[in-house]
Amino acid sequence: MQSLTPSSSGINLKSLIRTKIQSNRVNPNRPVIRCVYRLDAANATVNNGTANTNSAGHVGGSRADWQSSCAILASKVVSQQQNAEKSGGAGNITAVNGHKAAMDLDLVPIDNQPKPLTITDLSPAPMHGAQLRVAYQGVPGAYSEAAAGKAYPKCEAIPCDQFEVAFQAVELWIADRAVLPVENSLGGSIHRNYDLLLRHRLHIVGEVQLPVHHCLLALPGVRKEYLNRVISHPQALAQCELTLTKLGLNVTREAVDDTAGAAEYIASNNLRDTAAIASARAADLYGLQILAEGIQDDSSNVTRFVMLAREPIIPRTDRPFKTSIVFAHDKGTSVLFKVLSAFAFRNISLTKIESRPHRNRPIRLVDDANVGTAKHFEYMFYVDFEASMADVRAQNALAEVQEFTSFLRVLGSYPMDMTPWCPSRED
């Protein structure tokens, strides 16, 4: 141990350390790596003007002194953090061991940095309908809007003037889903949407059944005796034909694009000789009065809607599922019995079968020397059956159907609408 006694001129520690390093140098061509521990002036120990150094000439250079310094530094950081938490946060830490804290430096806040993607960001839109954009055909007040709200509560309903526009809205990512009618318990199938299902590549991901409650609407103050015509959707006119006759309305009946659109047309043009068949909500939206309620011919009037999406859903077997397919064959309708037997053999119930003309080849010619040339119509067949594509029975049935057909496409496998409903009230 070397004792340093200060003189009148003073001893410079830096010059002493520099002298000792120069005296210990080895071959200048051989690199030497040394670890020098810095001692802050505030932490240097001076007793009676005497500073302690090790034999190598480094102030506080022993391993024990270095470990002690690290322990003291760590204890100071912990104690200052604890004091900051007690005082309401880390914002009160201004210095650590004589140095400025990180908060006093010009650093970019971590909160402003982009967050990494999580599995939640990659998940599909919630099935309960929150923040979903759902396209439907018609204007506000249409039954399709009510079906969209039933299928996806809290959704953003997007009206479309045509059925095909609703399909395109989903394909172009303007909407996330589309809710479109396919059949009615009184009016039958809506053929236009069956043709569009084949033309577009959307998938059926669900269904919803909506009870229909028709009302006769007119401008305020108009009586039934003043009416000359009734306008509405063709399905609505057909569903109320008998009731309109019973009401004594032997007037002209004209078809328009949708029920709520008929109500809007009367209100916007101030037509006092025209009535519309639409919903009670349409009357509220367009300021019309209800001349008669429940004018549908059958109180059990239900319209079935399908929900369409860009991607199919994963079929399951823990709840009732329905699957929709479409198929055709080069030899016409002769294979229909074989296709139906594939489902009957496996006890799979069919809920619907619909035939539509084959647009690419509507007529097939058959040559027969005895009879001559016969013309047969070509058809596409749409079938709904109660089974999930996750069910082995359905998989085997479709494998057999594929052997008999030249074209087979699964439109969707989706949960059945099992919600109870009440018949529409009568007048």
Side-chain angles (χ1 to χ4, degrees), residues 7-8 97 119 227 236 280-281 285 293 298 322 346 353 357 413:
S7 61
S8 59
N97 215 33
I119 191 64
L227 299 177
R281 171 173 163 76
L285 290 176
E293 296 186 54
D298 192 339
K322 182 183 293 185
R346 295 169 176 84
I353 180 169
S413 187

Side-chain angles (χ1 to χ4, degrees), residues 301-322:
N301 185 11
V302 181
T303 299
R304 174 173 171 253
F305 295 79
V306 293
M307 297 119 74
L308 304 176
R310 289 179 292 271
E311 299 294 335
I313 62 174
I314 300 176
R316 297 160 54 181
T317 58
D318 58 344
R319 59 174 299 180
F321 258 65
K322 182 183 293 185

Side-chain angles (χ1 to χ4, degrees), residues 55-376:
S55 57
H58 300 86
V59 180
S62 66
R63 181 178 181 83
D65 294 340
W66 174 71
Q67 291 178 344
S68 300
S69 300
C70 290
I72 295 172
L73 177 62
S75 63
K76 289 184 177 181
V77 173
V78 173
S79 62
Q80 292 185 12
Q81 288 179 348
Q82 292 176 350
N83 294 334
E85 292 176 356
K86 292 180 180 179
S87 60
N92 296 327
I93 300 179
T94 58
V96 177
N97 215 33
H99 299 282
K100 287 186 176 181
M103 61 168 292
D104 294 333
L105 302 178
D106 295 333
L107 300 179
V108 178
I110 298 178
D111 295 339
N112 295 338
Q113 297 299 318
K115 300 296 183 182
L117 291 176
T118 63
I119 191 64
T120 305
D121 300 323
L122 304 179
S123 300
M127 294 304 298
H128 54 76
Q131 300 180 351
L132 278 181
R133 297 165 297 176
V134 181
Y136 68 94
Q137 188 274 331
V139 297
Y143 293 106
S144 295
E145 183 192 31
K150 181 180 179 182
Y152 299 104
K154 301 180 182 180
C155 70
E156 178 186 355
I158 302 177
C160 303
D161 59 349
Q162 299 178 15
F163 288 126
E164 190 164 9
V165 175
F167 277 84
Q168 294 175 352
V170 179
E171 291 177 332
L172 298 177
W173 294 77
I174 300 175
D176 303 305
R177 301 285 192 274
V179 176
L180 299 174
V182 290
E183 61 178 327
N184 178 265
S185 59
L186 300 181
S189 300
I190 301 176
H191 298 140
R192 176 61 175 166
N193 285 334
Y194 275 99
D195 295 338
L196 292 175
L197 283 173
L198 186 60
R199 182 180 304 177
H200 296 268
R201 301 297 299 179
L202 298 182
H203 304 268
I204 302 177
V205 296
E207 68 172 1
V208 58
Q209 297 182 4
L210 182 72
V212 177
H213 181 72
H214 287 311
C215 300
L216 186 65
L217 311 180
L219 289 174
V222 174
R223 300 171 58 180
K224 290 185 291 185
E225 293 80 8
Y226 301 155
L227 299 177
N228 293 325
R229 63 172 177 168
V230 175
I231 61 175
S232 188
H233 188 272
Q235 287 276 349
L237 292 174
Q239 295 166 12
C240 304
E241 183 177 2
L242 297 179
T243 305
L244 291 177
T245 303
K246 292 179 181 179
L247 292 175
L249 296 177
N250 297 321
V251 296
T252 304
R253 300 166 190 179
E254 296 181 6
V256 294
D257 291 337
D258 60 274
T259 55
E264 181 188 31
Y265 179 75
I266 292 176
S268 59
N269 292 277
N270 194 26
L271 301 177
R272 305 193 65 84
D273 63 341
T274 305
I277 298 177
S279 64
R281 171 173 163 76
D284 296 335
L285 290 176
Y286 303 110
L288 301 181
Q289 66 171 342
I290 299 177
L291 298 180
E293 296 186 54
I295 63 173
Q296 61 275 355
D297 296 338
D298 192 339
S299 59
S300 300
N301 185 11
V302 181
T303 299
R304 174 173 171 253
F305 295 79
V306 293
M307 297 119 74
L308 304 176
R310 289 179 292 271
E311 299 294 335
I313 62 174
I314 300 176
R316 297 160 54 181
T317 58
D318 58 344
R319 59 174 299 180
F321 258 65
K322 182 183 293 185
T323 301
S324 299
I325 64 173
V326 57
F327 64 89
H329 195 269
D330 294 335
K331 297 182 180 180
T333 60
S334 59
V335 300
L336 183 58
F337 173 77
K338 297 179 181 179
V339 171
L340 298 181
S341 63
F343 296 100
F345 177 74
R346 295 169 176 84
N347 294 323
I348 298 178
S349 300
L350 302 184
T351 59
K352 182 178 179 60
I353 180 169
E354 179 79 18
S355 62
R356 293 293 297 154
H358 199 311
R359 288 184 173 272
N360 295 332
R361 192 175 54 185
I363 298 178
R364 179 171 58 93
L365 300 180
V366 179
D367 293 330
D368 192 329
N370 297 328
V371 182
T373 301
K375 296 182 179 180
H376 295 272

